[in-house]
Amino acid sequence: MFELNPSSYSSEREKVAMVTTHLAVRAREWGTTEWDRQSAVCRSFQDFSATLHHIFDHSTLGREAAQVLLQLYQDRGSAVDYAIRFCTLAANSSWNNDSLTDTFLHGLAEDIKDHLTPLDLPADLDSLISLAIKIDNRLSKQWREHSRRLAPLPMGWQLQFEFGGFLELAPSHFQCLLCLRWTGGANAAGAYSFHA
């Protein structure tokens, strides 16, 4: 940036001042405080930059990145968000392609893994990420299309999900109760329940 317009930033302090105005809130507050108290760190852009990184850059590197990768899961987020977080950490690890690919696959949401199971998986991480994102996008689109097809409820009716405890006969499954309740007034009665 400074090389594009060297005459505008001829001194080290001008460089520090310009960068400080473009920092995020906490970093800008720190930079402004250092500037106001005429700290020695503001006399050299290189010193300012190094100190800024030391204070605010808490990147996950090496073994720490590997530990976070092992605990990273997609959960309910999108495959894109999971892939971005995964690739950011993977860049700071020293893992090979096979390890990264297997770990990425392990952390994917179960419905995406179910769709990947019958396929021949790509050998490289980038191709697996692209495939997982395509599947996730398609599943999201199907869900949106399905939810649009549900008929609107008549005036005065409300749809509610209620989650109960575990079923006694199948302790690994939650009991889900779908209730259709009348909320239109005191005279009408009714709640229709459906178990899933």
Side-chain angles (χ1 to χ4, degrees), residues 41-168:
V41 78
C42 294
R43 292 187 198 126
S44 160
F45 178 73
Q46 187 174 358
D47 290 347
F48 181 83
S49 179
T51 306
L52 179 70
H53 281 283
H54 177 73
I55 294 171
F56 292 99
D57 184 10
H58 300 287
S59 299
T60 308
L61 301 174
R63 288 186 152 185
E64 188 180 345
Q67 291 299 318
V68 176
L69 278 172
L70 288 172
Q71 298 169 5
L72 187 64
Y73 291 93
Q74 180 183 350
D75 295 324
R76 294 180 184 251
S78 71
V80 170
D81 291 338
Y82 170 63
I84 290 169
R85 179 79 174 123
F86 187 91
C87 288
T88 301
L89 292 165
N92 293 319
S93 76
S94 58
W95 289 6
N96 64 28
N97 181 69
D98 290 344
S99 298
L100 290 171
T101 303
D102 289 344
T103 305
F104 180 80
L105 180 62
H106 176 75
L108 281 170
E110 293 300 319
D111 56 344
I112 296 176
K113 285 194 262 190
D114 291 344
H115 281 78
L116 288 169
T117 299
L119 305 176
D120 289 331
L121 294 179
D124 65 293
L125 179 62
D126 290 339
S127 298
L128 178 60
I129 288 171
S130 294
L131 183 57
I133 290 171
K134 284 180 187 175
I135 291 170
D136 188 42
N137 288 343
R138 180 60 190 140
L139 291 173
S140 295
K141 185 176 180 183
Q142 282 178 324
W143 184 85
R144 285 190 307 272
E145 289 171 353
H146 176 71
S147 60
R148 270 191 234 125
R149 281 187 241 138
L150 294 175
L153 295 173
M155 187 80 133
W157 287 91
Q158 181 180 25
L159 193 61
Q160 298 175 337
F161 276 109
E162 297 176 3
F163 290 96
F166 291 104
L167 293 173
E168 288 182 24

Side-chain angles (χ1 to χ4, degrees), residues 171-186:
S172 63
H173 293 88
F174 278 104
Q175 179 180 10
C176 176
L177 182 63
L178 178 64
C179 296
L180 189 58
R181 297 190 191 279
W182 172 257
T183 58

